[in-house]
Amino acid sequence: MSIQTILVLLQSACSQGVLWSLLALGVFFTYRILDIADLTAEGTFPLGAGIAALAITKSHSPFLACLFAFAGGVLAGLATGIFHTKLKIPALLAGIITMTGLYSITNRVMGAPNIALLGSNSVYTWLENTGLSKNNATILVGSIFALLVVLLLHFFFKTEIGLAIRATGDNDAMSEANGINTDNMKLIGYMLSNGCIALSGALIAQNNGYADLNSGVGTIVIGLAAIIIAEVLFRNLPLLPRMLTIVLGAIIYRFILAIVFEFDVQPQDIKLFSALILVVCLSAPQVRSRLATKKAAKGGGVK
């Protein structure tokens, strides 16, 4: 593989990674901050794409379409949060229920299995009109959105509500004993998480030129892979740098996939390789720990 090919793959990985990083940040919110396994992402992602695509085809601004998508994701997260906190349905089942229902809702919103956006304006058009290539325009716009979301989340987590959400994730029982309404904190977490995921869907739909009803399949694996890659490579970081490394983790994940596709892998196998990459990333800390233990044991034996 030539250096030129690697640079092309890296550019492509950056353009896709910054968009998928918003999904990863949304998953990070529930998975790491609230310590909840939320599968709503697989329904929220195509919902955001569908809402944005519909808004654009109705001649709304692409940026306004992204806002609509975010709002749709917030409502989806609210539904899951209510199922979990008010109806006391286990988090995993609550996410599955919402994800299943969102399939029909998204189909209703779109009115068709997919919506084409070719020839329509997107959030990238204004930069492309200045002469930037599509990839460079995507990298710049995606980076702006990712950085904005990271900074907003950083400042939010410093507020009283943000600290209460983090405390709820760290120790639910202790937080409740100290007067925090943990159910409300979880509701807010679900809403913000799925809002970010829907926003990611809106940006990716505009980049791809279409919104597809089945685009959410496997998205939770992509989000988890980006988080785990970031945690394996960059450990014990404060919250702000940690969120920034998740953006980098999403780029690295897309770069790994791009290299895999250079070996004539069929497109239908992408989900399989996504799962395998996640398995490798999840097992890496365990393997590293065992190797360190064996090395220490050998060193002790020599002494």
Side-chain angles (χ1 to χ4, degrees), residues 207-221:
N207 182 59
N208 292 341
Y210 66 90
D212 187 83
L213 182 61
N214 297 306
S215 60
V217 178
T219 51
I220 189 70
V221 174

Side-chain angles (χ1 to χ4, degrees), residues 34 36 81 84-86 88 161 163-190:
L34 284 175
I36 292 173
H84 176 50
T85 60
K86 306 303 181 185
K88 304 304 176 184
I161 293 177
L163 291 171
I165 290 174
R166 294 178 67 181
T168 299
D170 288 338
N171 194 319
D172 194 327
M174 183 64 72
S175 298
E176 194 168 355
N178 280 283
I180 296 174
N181 189 324
T182 55
D183 282 354
N184 285 347
M185 296 305 106
K186 289 176 183 178
L187 274 175
I188 295 171
Y190 272 115

Side-chain angles (χ1 to χ4, degrees), residues 197-213:
I197 293 167
L199 178 60
S200 176
L203 292 172
I204 290 173
Q206 293 179 60
N207 182 59
N208 292 341
Y210 66 90
D212 187 83
L213 182 61

